[in-house]
Short mmCIF file of all heavy atoms in Angstrom, two decimals:
data_model
loop_
_atom_site.label_atom_id
_atom_site.label_comp_id
_atom_site.label_asym_id
_atom_site.label_seq_id
_atom_site.Cartn_x
_atom_site.Cartn_y
_atom_site.Cartn_z
N ALA A 28 -66.49 4.74 -77.88
CA ALA A 28 -67.66 4.75 -78.68
C ALA A 28 -67.84 3.48 -79.55
O ALA A 28 -68.91 2.94 -79.64
CB ALA A 28 -67.58 6.07 -79.56
N ARG A 29 -66.75 3.03 -80.15
CA ARG A 29 -66.75 1.80 -80.91
C ARG A 29 -67.15 0.59 -80.09
O ARG A 29 -67.95 -0.27 -80.53
CB ARG A 29 -65.39 1.61 -81.64
CG ARG A 29 -65.09 2.64 -82.71
CD ARG A 29 -63.79 2.39 -83.33
NE ARG A 29 -63.70 1.10 -83.90
CZ ARG A 29 -62.56 0.42 -84.23
NH1 ARG A 29 -61.41 0.95 -83.87
NH2 ARG A 29 -62.67 -0.72 -84.82
N ALA A 30 -66.59 0.51 -78.92
CA ALA A 30 -66.98 -0.56 -78.02
C ALA A 30 -68.41 -0.56 -77.58
O ALA A 30 -69.04 -1.64 -77.54
CB ALA A 30 -66.06 -0.54 -76.82
N MET A 31 -68.90 0.56 -77.28
CA MET A 31 -70.36 0.75 -76.79
C MET A 31 -71.27 0.40 -77.91
O MET A 31 -72.43 -0.06 -77.75
CB MET A 31 -70.63 2.05 -76.20
CG MET A 31 -69.84 2.43 -74.97
SD MET A 31 -70.04 1.27 -73.69
CE MET A 31 -71.71 1.73 -73.03
N ARG A 32 -70.89 0.63 -79.17
CA ARG A 32 -71.75 0.31 -80.26
C ARG A 32 -71.56 -1.25 -80.71
O ARG A 32 -72.25 -1.68 -81.61
CB ARG A 32 -71.38 1.17 -81.55
CG ARG A 32 -71.71 2.62 -81.37
CD ARG A 32 -71.63 3.38 -82.65
NE ARG A 32 -70.35 3.30 -83.32
CZ ARG A 32 -69.44 4.28 -83.10
NH1 ARG A 32 -69.80 5.37 -82.36
NH2 ARG A 32 -68.28 4.20 -83.68
N GLY A 33 -70.72 -1.93 -80.05
CA GLY A 33 -70.47 -3.34 -80.30
C GLY A 33 -69.58 -3.54 -81.53
O GLY A 33 -69.54 -4.63 -82.06
N GLU A 34 -68.91 -2.58 -81.89
CA GLU A 34 -68.08 -2.67 -83.12
C GLU A 34 -66.60 -3.28 -82.86
O GLU A 34 -65.94 -3.70 -83.79
CB GLU A 34 -67.90 -1.34 -83.82
CG GLU A 34 -69.20 -0.75 -84.19
CD GLU A 34 -69.02 0.64 -84.79
OE1 GLU A 34 -67.88 1.25 -84.75
OE2 GLU A 34 -70.04 1.28 -85.16
N ILE A 35 -66.30 -3.32 -81.60
CA ILE A 35 -65.01 -3.78 -81.18
C ILE A 35 -65.15 -4.61 -79.88
O ILE A 35 -65.95 -4.25 -79.09
CB ILE A 35 -63.90 -2.71 -81.13
CG1 ILE A 35 -62.55 -3.32 -80.77
CG2 ILE A 35 -64.41 -1.66 -80.03
CD1 ILE A 35 -61.51 -2.18 -80.74
N ASP A 36 -64.39 -5.71 -79.76
CA ASP A 36 -64.49 -6.43 -78.55
C ASP A 36 -64.11 -5.66 -77.36
O ASP A 36 -63.18 -4.84 -77.35
CB ASP A 36 -63.45 -7.64 -78.67
CG ASP A 36 -63.41 -8.48 -77.41
OD1 ASP A 36 -64.34 -9.33 -77.28
OD2 ASP A 36 -62.48 -8.25 -76.56
N PHE A 37 -64.96 -5.81 -76.33
CA PHE A 37 -64.84 -4.93 -75.13
C PHE A 37 -63.44 -5.09 -74.48
O PHE A 37 -62.75 -4.12 -74.05
CB PHE A 37 -65.99 -5.16 -74.02
CG PHE A 37 -65.80 -4.44 -72.87
CD1 PHE A 37 -66.19 -3.14 -72.78
CD2 PHE A 37 -65.20 -5.02 -71.67
CE1 PHE A 37 -65.99 -2.31 -71.71
CE2 PHE A 37 -65.07 -4.29 -70.51
CZ PHE A 37 -65.42 -2.91 -70.50
N GLU A 38 -63.00 -6.40 -74.35
CA GLU A 38 -61.76 -6.59 -73.60
C GLU A 38 -60.56 -5.97 -74.44
O GLU A 38 -59.72 -5.29 -73.88
CB GLU A 38 -61.48 -8.01 -73.38
CG GLU A 38 -60.14 -8.27 -72.71
CD GLU A 38 -59.93 -9.72 -72.34
OE1 GLU A 38 -60.92 -10.58 -72.47
OE2 GLU A 38 -58.80 -10.10 -71.96
N ASP A 39 -60.57 -6.14 -75.72
CA ASP A 39 -59.47 -5.59 -76.58
C ASP A 39 -59.57 -4.02 -76.52
O ASP A 39 -58.50 -3.34 -76.24
CB ASP A 39 -59.70 -5.91 -77.99
CG ASP A 39 -59.39 -7.37 -78.26
OD1 ASP A 39 -58.78 -7.97 -77.37
OD2 ASP A 39 -59.83 -7.98 -79.26
N SER A 40 -60.72 -3.40 -76.52
CA SER A 40 -60.82 -1.98 -76.41
C SER A 40 -60.34 -1.50 -75.05
O SER A 40 -59.78 -0.40 -74.88
CB SER A 40 -62.28 -1.51 -76.68
OG SER A 40 -63.12 -1.88 -75.56
N LEU A 41 -60.74 -2.21 -74.01
CA LEU A 41 -60.35 -1.80 -72.71
C LEU A 41 -58.80 -1.83 -72.57
O LEU A 41 -58.31 -0.82 -71.94
CB LEU A 41 -60.92 -2.68 -71.57
CG LEU A 41 -60.69 -2.24 -70.11
CD1 LEU A 41 -61.29 -0.85 -69.84
CD2 LEU A 41 -61.31 -3.28 -69.18
N ARG A 42 -58.16 -2.83 -72.97
CA ARG A 42 -56.66 -2.93 -72.75
C ARG A 42 -56.02 -1.80 -73.62
O ARG A 42 -55.00 -1.23 -73.21
CB ARG A 42 -56.22 -4.33 -73.20
CG ARG A 42 -56.67 -5.46 -72.27
CD ARG A 42 -56.10 -6.68 -72.58
NE ARG A 42 -56.55 -7.78 -71.71
CZ ARG A 42 -56.29 -8.04 -70.45
NH1 ARG A 42 -55.42 -7.19 -69.80
NH2 ARG A 42 -56.83 -8.98 -69.77
N ILE A 43 -56.55 -1.48 -74.79
CA ILE A 43 -56.00 -0.36 -75.64
C ILE A 43 -56.12 0.88 -74.90
O ILE A 43 -55.15 1.77 -74.77
CB ILE A 43 -56.71 -0.31 -76.92
CG1 ILE A 43 -56.46 -1.57 -77.76
CG2 ILE A 43 -56.39 1.01 -77.68
CD1 ILE A 43 -57.33 -1.62 -79.05
N ARG A 44 -57.25 1.19 -74.22
CA ARG A 44 -57.48 2.43 -73.45
C ARG A 44 -56.64 2.48 -72.32
O ARG A 44 -56.04 3.58 -71.99
CB ARG A 44 -58.98 2.59 -73.32
CG ARG A 44 -59.80 2.84 -74.49
CD ARG A 44 -61.21 2.79 -74.18
NE ARG A 44 -61.80 1.52 -73.87
CZ ARG A 44 -62.99 1.28 -73.44
NH1 ARG A 44 -63.90 2.31 -73.21
NH2 ARG A 44 -63.40 0.08 -73.19
N VAL A 45 -56.63 1.37 -71.56
CA VAL A 45 -55.75 1.43 -70.32
C VAL A 45 -54.37 1.62 -70.51
O VAL A 45 -53.66 2.36 -69.77
CB VAL A 45 -56.04 0.04 -69.52
CG1 VAL A 45 -55.07 -0.10 -68.45
CG2 VAL A 45 -57.47 0.07 -68.99
N ALA A 46 -53.75 1.15 -71.66
CA ALA A 46 -52.43 1.32 -71.96
C ALA A 46 -52.02 2.81 -72.05
O ALA A 46 -50.87 3.14 -71.69
CB ALA A 46 -52.08 0.62 -73.24
N THR A 47 -53.00 3.64 -72.39
CA THR A 47 -52.67 5.06 -72.63
C THR A 47 -52.53 5.78 -71.29
O THR A 47 -52.14 6.89 -71.16
CB THR A 47 -53.74 5.83 -73.35
OG1 THR A 47 -55.01 5.92 -72.60
CG2 THR A 47 -54.01 5.09 -74.71
N LEU A 48 -52.87 5.12 -70.12
CA LEU A 48 -52.82 5.74 -68.80
C LEU A 48 -51.50 5.37 -68.10
O LEU A 48 -51.29 5.94 -67.00
CB LEU A 48 -53.89 5.08 -67.90
CG LEU A 48 -55.38 5.16 -68.47
CD1 LEU A 48 -56.38 4.58 -67.50
CD2 LEU A 48 -55.73 6.58 -68.78
N ALA A 49 -50.60 4.75 -68.70
CA ALA A 49 -49.35 4.35 -68.10
C ALA A 49 -48.63 5.66 -67.66
O ALA A 49 -48.51 6.65 -68.41
CB ALA A 49 -48.44 3.63 -69.01
N GLY A 50 -48.04 5.72 -66.44
CA GLY A 50 -47.30 6.78 -65.91
C GLY A 50 -48.12 7.76 -65.04
O GLY A 50 -47.49 8.64 -64.37
N LEU A 51 -49.46 7.62 -65.06
CA LEU A 51 -50.26 8.54 -64.14
C LEU A 51 -50.08 8.25 -62.70
O LEU A 51 -49.99 6.97 -62.34
CB LEU A 51 -51.73 8.38 -64.45
CG LEU A 51 -52.26 9.10 -65.74
CD1 LEU A 51 -53.75 8.70 -65.95
CD2 LEU A 51 -52.12 10.61 -65.62
N PRO A 52 -49.95 9.13 -61.87
CA PRO A 52 -49.77 8.90 -60.42
C PRO A 52 -51.15 8.51 -59.85
O PRO A 52 -52.15 8.86 -60.39
CB PRO A 52 -49.28 10.23 -59.80
CG PRO A 52 -49.98 11.27 -60.79
CD PRO A 52 -49.83 10.67 -62.08
N ASP A 53 -51.08 7.67 -58.79
CA ASP A 53 -52.40 7.16 -58.25
C ASP A 53 -53.26 8.22 -57.56
O ASP A 53 -54.41 8.01 -57.37
CB ASP A 53 -52.20 6.05 -57.30
CG ASP A 53 -51.38 6.29 -56.14
OD1 ASP A 53 -50.98 7.48 -55.93
OD2 ASP A 53 -51.01 5.38 -55.30
N GLU A 54 -52.75 9.49 -57.43
CA GLU A 54 -53.54 10.57 -56.93
C GLU A 54 -54.65 10.94 -57.91
O GLU A 54 -55.58 11.59 -57.52
CB GLU A 54 -52.72 11.83 -56.64
CG GLU A 54 -51.81 11.69 -55.42
CD GLU A 54 -50.42 11.11 -55.74
OE1 GLU A 54 -50.29 10.61 -56.97
OE2 GLU A 54 -49.57 11.11 -54.91
N VAL A 55 -54.54 10.42 -59.11
CA VAL A 55 -55.45 10.72 -60.16
C VAL A 55 -56.87 10.19 -59.80
O VAL A 55 -57.79 10.73 -60.20
CB VAL A 55 -55.01 10.13 -61.52
CG1 VAL A 55 -55.16 8.63 -61.60
CG2 VAL A 55 -55.78 10.76 -62.67
N PHE A 56 -56.88 9.08 -59.07
CA PHE A 56 -58.19 8.58 -58.65
C PHE A 56 -59.01 9.53 -57.83
O PHE A 56 -60.21 9.64 -58.02
CB PHE A 56 -58.06 7.24 -57.86
CG PHE A 56 -57.35 6.10 -58.67
CD1 PHE A 56 -56.24 5.40 -58.22
CD2 PHE A 56 -57.76 5.83 -59.96
CE1 PHE A 56 -55.65 4.44 -58.90
CE2 PHE A 56 -57.16 4.85 -60.72
CZ PHE A 56 -56.00 4.10 -60.22
N ARG A 57 -58.35 10.18 -56.91
CA ARG A 57 -59.10 11.18 -56.08
C ARG A 57 -59.46 12.34 -56.98
O ARG A 57 -60.67 12.86 -56.84
CB ARG A 57 -58.18 11.65 -55.02
CG ARG A 57 -58.95 12.62 -53.98
CD ARG A 57 -57.91 12.99 -52.87
NE ARG A 57 -57.58 11.75 -52.09
CZ ARG A 57 -56.45 11.58 -51.54
NH1 ARG A 57 -55.50 12.61 -51.48
NH2 ARG A 57 -56.08 10.47 -50.88
N THR A 58 -58.71 12.81 -57.95
CA THR A 58 -59.07 13.91 -58.88
C THR A 58 -60.27 13.51 -59.64
O THR A 58 -61.20 14.31 -59.81
CB THR A 58 -57.80 14.23 -59.72
OG1 THR A 58 -56.77 14.58 -58.92
CG2 THR A 58 -58.15 15.34 -60.68
N VAL A 59 -60.21 12.38 -60.26
CA VAL A 59 -61.32 11.95 -61.12
C VAL A 59 -62.62 11.70 -60.35
O VAL A 59 -63.69 12.03 -60.74
CB VAL A 59 -60.93 10.68 -61.86
CG1 VAL A 59 -62.13 10.01 -62.62
CG2 VAL A 59 -59.88 11.01 -62.99
N GLY A 60 -62.45 11.11 -59.08
CA GLY A 60 -63.63 10.93 -58.27
C GLY A 60 -64.37 12.14 -57.93
O GLY A 60 -65.58 12.17 -57.91
N ALA A 61 -63.64 13.27 -57.83
CA ALA A 61 -64.31 14.51 -57.53
C ALA A 61 -64.97 15.18 -58.69
O ALA A 61 -65.85 16.03 -58.68
CB ALA A 61 -63.28 15.55 -56.94
N GLN A 62 -64.57 14.60 -59.98
CA GLN A 62 -65.20 15.17 -61.08
C GLN A 62 -66.52 14.46 -61.64
O GLN A 62 -67.29 14.91 -62.54
CB GLN A 62 -64.29 15.01 -62.31
CG GLN A 62 -62.95 15.85 -62.16
CD GLN A 62 -61.88 15.55 -63.22
OE1 GLN A 62 -61.99 14.59 -64.00
NE2 GLN A 62 -60.93 16.49 -63.26
N ILE A 63 -66.72 13.24 -60.99
CA ILE A 63 -67.88 12.38 -61.38
C ILE A 63 -69.18 13.05 -61.22
O ILE A 63 -69.39 13.72 -60.18
CB ILE A 63 -67.82 11.12 -60.71
CG1 ILE A 63 -66.69 10.19 -61.20
CG2 ILE A 63 -69.18 10.39 -60.74
CD1 ILE A 63 -66.55 8.93 -60.49
N ARG A 64 -70.13 13.02 -62.14
CA ARG A 64 -71.47 13.58 -62.06
C ARG A 64 -72.50 12.50 -62.02
O ARG A 64 -72.55 11.72 -62.95
CB ARG A 64 -71.68 14.51 -63.24
CG ARG A 64 -70.81 15.72 -63.35
CD ARG A 64 -70.94 16.21 -64.77
NE ARG A 64 -70.55 15.31 -65.76
CZ ARG A 64 -70.99 15.43 -67.10
NH1 ARG A 64 -71.76 16.43 -67.45
NH2 ARG A 64 -70.64 14.48 -67.93
N LEU A 65 -73.19 12.39 -60.95
CA LEU A 65 -74.28 11.42 -60.78
C LEU A 65 -75.36 11.73 -61.86
O LEU A 65 -75.59 12.91 -62.09
CB LEU A 65 -74.90 11.36 -59.43
CG LEU A 65 -73.99 10.72 -58.24
CD1 LEU A 65 -74.76 11.00 -56.95
CD2 LEU A 65 -73.87 9.21 -58.55
#
């Protein structure tokens, strides 16, 4: 939310968020893909 409002640099915010995903199995991509709503 802070990044989309322009309150924090996008790259910094992205790296912070990606770091929280460490340890997830790559099967998660299929799981998340099935949850996407057009």
Side-chain angles (χ1 to χ4, degrees):
R29 292 179 59 199
M31 297 302 286
R32 292 193 299 265
E34 297 174 1
I35 183 174
D36 177 79
F37 177 78
E38 180 172 349
D39 290 342
S40 72
L41 183 61
R42 294 190 185 280
I43 292 171
R44 290 175 289 174
V45 167
T47 71
L48 307 180
L51 282 175
D53 60 4
E54 288 88 351
V55 73
F56 298 130
R57 185 175 302 150
T58 301
V59 165
Q62 296 173 346
I63 286 176
R64 300 165 298 161
L65 286 172

